[in-house]
Amino acid sequence: MAKKRGILLVNLGTPDSTAVYDVRKYLREFLMDKRVIDIPALPRFLLVNGIIAPFRAPKSAAEYRKLFDDRGSPLKYYTEDITALLSKKLSDDYSVKFAMRYQSPSLKSVLEEFQKEEVASLHVIPLFPQYASATTGSIIDRVMEITRDWQIIPEIKFTSQFLEEELFIETIADQGRKLMEKEQYDHYIFSYHGLPERQIRKGSYGDYCQLGKCCATLNEHNRYCYRAQCFETTRLIVAKLGIKEDDYTVCFQSRLGKDPWVKPYTEDVLNELAKKGKKKVLAFSPAFVSDCLETTIEVGEEYHENFIEAGGEKWDLVPSLNAEEKWVECLAQMVTKE
């Protein structure tokens, strides 16, 4: 009997519950990743375990309680859903599983399941459209760390980015179009998760990356620049929706610490829009494929409140891809096209 080909979908992760203990446990694992907080090990340990996790966990737990529903964490159950749907769409030649980079199900436990199945090959798809060392890079790093001790290492393939996949862009455009057909918006915001500027520069080939006009095109010099990829993702989406250049803004959210992060900052942009008299804004979050804390709570609720307080009237959030049929078909194409 021919051995199956393993397909592993990997998302970021989520606390096992909204209890402060579980949230603190999740934050510690997440923020102790050397690719997430890229400072020496001892200062990182002291910062995470002495300051961030103890003091941030209670506040984060309260935010997670707003997000979790009867099924638990949307990020986790939507990843479960697309795994099941993708498995049904593919032939019996494939074994499809999912894991989380942090918490459960762990990468180690799921990779060991593939090992027991003696898969002929393994295709790892981090569920991040744009490559960043702190997300996709961390997943690739961890998979290699786990499998390097195996006696038999199957052929392993990684999908490092998929922002240019046609069905990925089409699904986001479809989600946005549903809201645009009901409302006339003054402006459109494309808010991506931020990164420290130093991480962008560290990944730059030579001195090409200047965190400015160099992001106007995605080319051989900046193909793995996270900021340039975000601008390219936006260009592809607005082209599908027919949004004019003056009517949208690319920005970045979720800063942590005092170091400069990639700009412009979303909170600054929404305040400027309100000052300019923009009343109705539609927000996209194309760095995320599943509804999560950064989309539903941060963009959908916190930025909504900030915009209204600044003088705006309407702030809507385009849902993530979640378990949309076209998104699952996109994943199937990514698996089978080669």
Side-chain angles (χ1 to χ4, degrees), residues 133-195:
S133 173
T135 53
T136 300
S138 176
I139 290 168
I140 294 172
D141 190 354
R142 181 63 176 146
V143 170
M144 292 192 295
E145 180 184 25
I146 294 166
T147 57
R148 71 185 178 193
D149 291 329
W150 292 5
Q151 288 300 304
I152 298 176
I153 302 176
E155 178 183 358
I156 301 177
K157 173 186 175 182
F158 297 97
T159 293
S160 59
Q161 55 178 304
F162 53 86
L163 63 101
E164 294 172 302
E165 290 288 333
E166 185 71 18
L167 289 181
F168 165 69
I169 297 298
E170 284 187 12
T171 311
I172 296 175
D174 287 348
Q175 296 287 76
R177 196 175 289 113
K178 293 173 186 176
L179 292 169
M180 292 168 68
E181 289 173 350
K182 299 176 183 178
E183 185 65 72
Q184 187 72 35
Y185 294 97
D186 300 326
H187 203 79
Y188 302 89
I189 275 186
F190 291 81
S191 183
Y192 295 83
H193 199 288
L195 285 177

Side-chain angles (χ1 to χ4, degrees), residues 256-276:
L256 178 65
K258 297 180 179 180
D259 288 347
W261 282 42
V262 288
K263 301 177 183 68
Y265 300 139
T266 303
E267 55 265 40
D268 293 342
V269 169
L270 67 87
N271 286 326
E272 281 298 314
L273 289 174
K275 288 178 183 178
K276 291 178 180 178

Side-chain angles (χ1 to χ4, degrees), residues 30-311:
F30 172 38
L31 298 175
M32 278 302 297
D33 186 338
K34 64 182 181 296
R35 287 179 178 265
V36 174
I37 297 183
D38 55 334
I39 61 176
L42 181 57
R44 183 172 65 249
F45 178 87
L46 295 174
L47 176 65
V48 172
N49 293 282
I51 299 175
I52 299 177
F55 293 100
R56 189 171 175 176
K59 180 181 178 181
S60 294
E63 297 299 296
Y64 276 110
R65 282 191 281 274
K66 298 177 186 176
L67 177 70
F68 276 46
D69 56 27
D70 292 341
R71 291 187 65 188
S73 164
L75 182 143
K76 186 173 183 178
Y77 65 68
Y78 280 127
T79 308
E80 291 182 62
D81 290 348
I82 61 172
T83 302
L85 291 168
L86 180 61
S87 183
K88 289 180 181 179
K89 188 174 284 288
L90 297 174
S91 69
D92 292 338
D93 295 333
Y94 296 91
S95 173
V96 186
K97 305 180 189 297
F98 80 96
M100 296 292 166
R101 175 61 184 88
Y102 313 105
Q103 297 302 286
S104 58
S106 70
L107 268 172
K108 188 174 189 300
S109 65
V110 178
L111 285 169
E112 286 173 350
E113 291 177 21
F114 282 121
Q115 186 183 30
K116 290 176 182 177
E117 291 178 7
E118 299 181 4
V119 292
S121 62
L122 181 62
H123 185 172
V124 181
I125 305 178
L127 294 174
F128 299 97
Q130 304 84 18
Y131 176 89
S133 173
T135 53
T136 300
S138 176
I139 290 168
I140 294 172
D141 190 354
R142 181 63 176 146
V143 170
M144 292 192 295
E145 180 184 25
I146 294 166
T147 57
R148 71 185 178 193
D149 291 329
W150 292 5
Q151 288 300 304
I152 298 176
I153 302 176
E155 178 183 358
I156 301 177
K157 173 186 175 182
F158 297 97
T159 293
S160 59
Q161 55 178 304
F162 53 86
L163 63 101
E164 294 172 302
E165 290 288 333
E166 185 71 18
L167 289 181
F168 165 69
I169 297 298
E170 284 187 12
T171 311
I172 296 175
D174 287 348
Q175 296 287 76
R177 196 175 289 113
K178 293 173 186 176
L179 292 169
M180 292 168 68
E181 289 173 350
K182 299 176 183 178
E183 185 65 72
Q184 187 72 35
Y185 294 97
D186 300 326
H187 203 79
Y188 302 89
I189 275 186
F190 291 81
S191 183
Y192 295 83
H193 199 288
L195 285 177
E197 289 184 351
R198 67 174 182 273
Q199 291 189 10
I200 300 289
R201 295 188 189 281
K202 284 167 67 174
S204 174
Y205 293 110
D207 294 323
Y208 183 83
C209 182
Q210 300 298 317
L211 295 165
K213 293 181 179 180
C214 51
C215 294
T217 60
L218 192 65
N219 54 61
E220 62 181 7
H221 300 292
N222 65 1
R223 176 148 296 276
Y224 286 94
C225 169
Y226 175 74
R227 189 173 186 270
Q229 292 172 80
C230 292
F231 277 90
E232 178 68 10
T233 305
T234 301
R235 284 190 290 269
L236 294 170
I237 296 169
V238 299
K240 286 284 184 186
L241 292 172
I243 298 174
K244 297 177 182 178
E245 186 173 354
D246 292 340
D247 292 338
Y248 71 88
T249 303
V250 177
C251 45
F252 300 89
Q253 63 188 79
S254 309
R255 280 180 292 165
L256 178 65
K258 297 180 179 180
D259 288 347
W261 282 42
V262 288
K263 301 177 183 68
Y265 300 139
T266 303
E267 55 265 40
D268 293 342
V269 169
L270 67 87
N271 286 326
E272 281 298 314
L273 289 174
K275 288 178 183 178
K276 291 178 180 178
K278 304 297 184 183
K279 297 297 183 182
K280 299 178 181 180
V281 170
L282 181 62
F284 292 76
S285 292
F288 304 93
V289 300
S290 307
D291 288 338
C292 56
L293 201 67
E294 289 82 0
T295 60
T296 305
I297 304 303
E298 187 172 11
V299 180
E301 295 186 9
E302 293 177 10
Y303 289 160
H304 171 266
E305 292 176 6
N306 293 346
F307 185 62
I308 299 303
E309 289 176 3

Side-chain angles (χ1 to χ4, degrees), residues 16-27:
D16 290 332
S17 78
T18 60
V20 173
Y21 171 80
D22 282 333
V23 173
R24 185 179 293 116
K25 180 181 176 184
Y26 167 74
L27 289 175

